Amino acid sequence: MTAEKPVVLRIGQWPYSAEKWSKLQEIATVVDCESKNREEFLRDLKSKYSHVTNIARTFPSVTQTGRFDKEVVDALPDSVVSLSHNGAGYDQIDPEPLTERNIQLSNVTTPVEAPTALTAVYLTLAAMRNFQIGHDNLVQGNWTKPEIGRGVGVGKDPEGLTVGILGMGGIGRAIRDRLVPFGFEKILYYNRSRLEPGLEGVAEYVGFDELLAQSDVLLISVPLNPKTHHLINKEAIAKMKDGVILVNTARGAIIDEQVLIEELKSGKIGAFGGDVFEHEPSVPKELYEMDNVVSLPHMGTWTHQALRNMENFTVDNIESQIRTGKVMTIVPEQKGIDFNHSARV
């Protein structure tokens, strides 16, 4: 072991991983971020946290630091070699300035796949079968009205339908695997590059426009970045089938939310299942009060097991960097880059 332990700055709350953090302290000094806001954080980086080597952050910790953009990255001490984010989506972080400063960025991969996929399945089935409308009408006492049956229009089963998955990373593949038993006629996917046959499974690769045109149900599972911001816009929706069912468990801003509202009203989009929204936690009342919308307040990984596994995985990324010089799950933007970091234990 080196003379001085690496110093890990822990930003945000980590209630599910005390044992993991305790174990890490055998090889590192862990310091909790006490900064209350971005201004204070920038100042503290030059004093309290000037010897930090590794940083761990949570999604909610953005209230303490603001975005990890160029301003924050440029203020990091020269000793920092890695930033480990506790989440799959890292749209609160700009990878480029980190790369320029020779700082590795990791995110959480496998622990988020199953719980997010289960959320996508729930939203898909609820939107297809009009379950939310049925529940609301039961509560309002409309079940027994003969002119409206059970208070809701007849739904759709997977039989004979094509489901499309936009983005076939780990989460997209987990969604595919959980949809297979429901009996969809066909599963299509579009990815920035075609998967190897062993990873494709039963899914068929198609182009982006073809995915839009053929899908009866379209699930969004791509990361949010400048290229995917408002990827689902008026032009894209115009290429979809009339009455398409749209499900989003990725990031809200991948869909132009105002256009989504308009197309739900027009019937072009038949139903929407959303766990994420463009300006969280603000969600347009006009959207969530629609009969054909099933909405959740970003609950994709909101389980004890998922939260524990994600936090532990983040600590594992830090430990890997300290022991080997490399994080386990470097983000795609940094793959292939030699950061030339040495092991420190």
Side-chain angles (χ1 to χ4, degrees):
M1 186 178 293
T2 55
E4 292 186 10
K5 289 183 178 180
V7 179
V8 179
L9 178 63
R10 182 168 56 183
I11 310 175
Q13 302 300 311
W14 302 78
Y16 297 92
S17 50
E19 187 176 342
K20 271 283 185 180
W21 283 107
S22 179
K23 186 73 174 174
L24 184 69
Q25 290 188 78
E26 295 176 5
I27 62 169
T29 300
V30 178
V31 177
D32 284 310
C33 180
E34 299 175 344
S35 310
K36 301 295 190 297
N37 52 52
R38 183 182 180 91
E39 182 181 2
E40 192 173 322
F41 181 62
L42 289 168
R43 185 171 65 247
D44 289 344
L45 286 171
K46 301 182 185 303
S47 52
K48 297 184 184 181
Y49 315 134
S50 61
H51 294 13
V52 165
T53 57
N54 304 77
I55 299 174
R57 75 176 299 277
T58 65
F59 187 85
S61 73
V62 70
T63 59
Q64 286 180 263
T65 66
R67 282 183 55 83
F68 259 73
D69 54 13
K70 182 172 173 55
E71 181 184 26
V72 168
V73 173
D74 286 348
L76 297 177
D78 292 339
S79 51
V80 175
V81 293
S82 78
L83 171 62
S84 293
H85 173 63
N86 180 29
Y90 49 94
D91 43 287
Q92 296 174 339
I93 304 166
D94 292 337
E96 282 189 13
L98 288 168
T99 305
E100 290 169 3
R101 292 210 54 195
N102 201 38
I103 298 171
Q104 298 177 52
L105 172 61
S106 67
N107 67 330
V108 176
T109 55
T110 50
V112 305
E113 293 170 3
T116 304
L118 289 174
T119 305
V121 169
Y122 164 77
L123 290 170
T124 299
L125 296 179
M128 290 175 62
R129 294 289 303 275
N130 299 324
F131 285 150
Q132 185 66 44
I133 311 171
H135 169 268
D136 292 345
N137 280 313
L138 183 152
V139 172
Q140 294 161 14
N142 292 332
W143 183 354
T144 58
K145 292 185 178 179
E147 70 274 14
I148 55 174
R150 289 177 171 81
V152 62
V154 178
K156 296 178 180 178
D157 275 330
E159 179 184 348
L161 299 186
T162 295
V163 63
I165 302 175
L166 178 58
M168 274 283 273
I171 295 174
R173 296 195 296 275
I175 292 171
R176 172 203 62 199
D177 293 345
R178 283 155 181 79
L179 288 178
V180 167
F182 291 103
F184 285 94
E185 181 76 16
K186 191 185 296 184
I187 298 180
L188 308 177
Y189 81 96
Y190 172 74
N191 214 41
R192 57 187 164 190
S193 58
R194 183 171 184 172
L195 299 178
E196 297 176 3
L199 291 177
E200 278 190 331
V202 301
E204 176 187 341
Y205 178 77
V206 295
F208 178 62
D209 286 352
E210 192 173 354
L211 184 81
L212 300 179
Q214 290 196 39
S215 298
D216 297 294
V217 182
L218 180 63
L219 295 100
I220 297 170
S221 188
V222 292
L224 176 63
N225 56 47
K227 291 183 179 179
T228 61
H229 182 266
H230 284 186
L231 179 64
I232 303 301
N233 52 27
K234 197 168 189 67
E235 181 183 358
I237 293 170
K239 297 175 182 177
M240 299 179 190
K241 290 183 177 181
D242 292 343
V244 64
I245 294 168
L246 200 57
V247 175
N248 189 7
T249 54
R251 284 291 186 265
I254 295 166
I255 302 176
D256 185 330
E257 201 160 79
Q258 190 54 50
V259 170
L260 172 65
I261 292 170
E262 294 168 4
E263 300 296 1
L264 280 162
K265 285 180 177 179
S266 74
K268 176 67 178 181
I269 298 177
F272 173 65
D275 185 43
V276 289
F277 300 90
E278 186 165 3
H279 303 292
E280 295 178 12
S282 175
V283 181
K285 187 177 181 182
E286 186 179 16
L287 178 60
Y288 66 70
E289 285 193 340
M290 287 186 182
D291 286 345
N292 52 348
V293 170
V294 184
S295 55
L296 296 173
H298 207 145
M299 297 178 68
T301 55
W302 197 243
T303 71
H304 177 88
Q305 296 92 331
L307 295 171
R308 177 199 63 206
N309 294 341
M310 290 169 65
E311 289 187 14
N312 286 345
F313 192 91
T314 306
V315 180
D316 286 341
N317 256 313
I318 296 167
E319 182 177 354
S320 174
Q321 201 289 320
I322 292 172
R323 291 191 182 280
T324 71
K326 296 179 180 179
V327 295
M328 298 185 307
T329 53
I330 201 153
V331 299
E333 292 91 338
Q334 292 187 338
K335 282 185 177 173
I337 296 173
D338 184 3
F339 287 89
N340 196 27
H341 293 159
S342 301
R344 285 169 286 164
V345 294

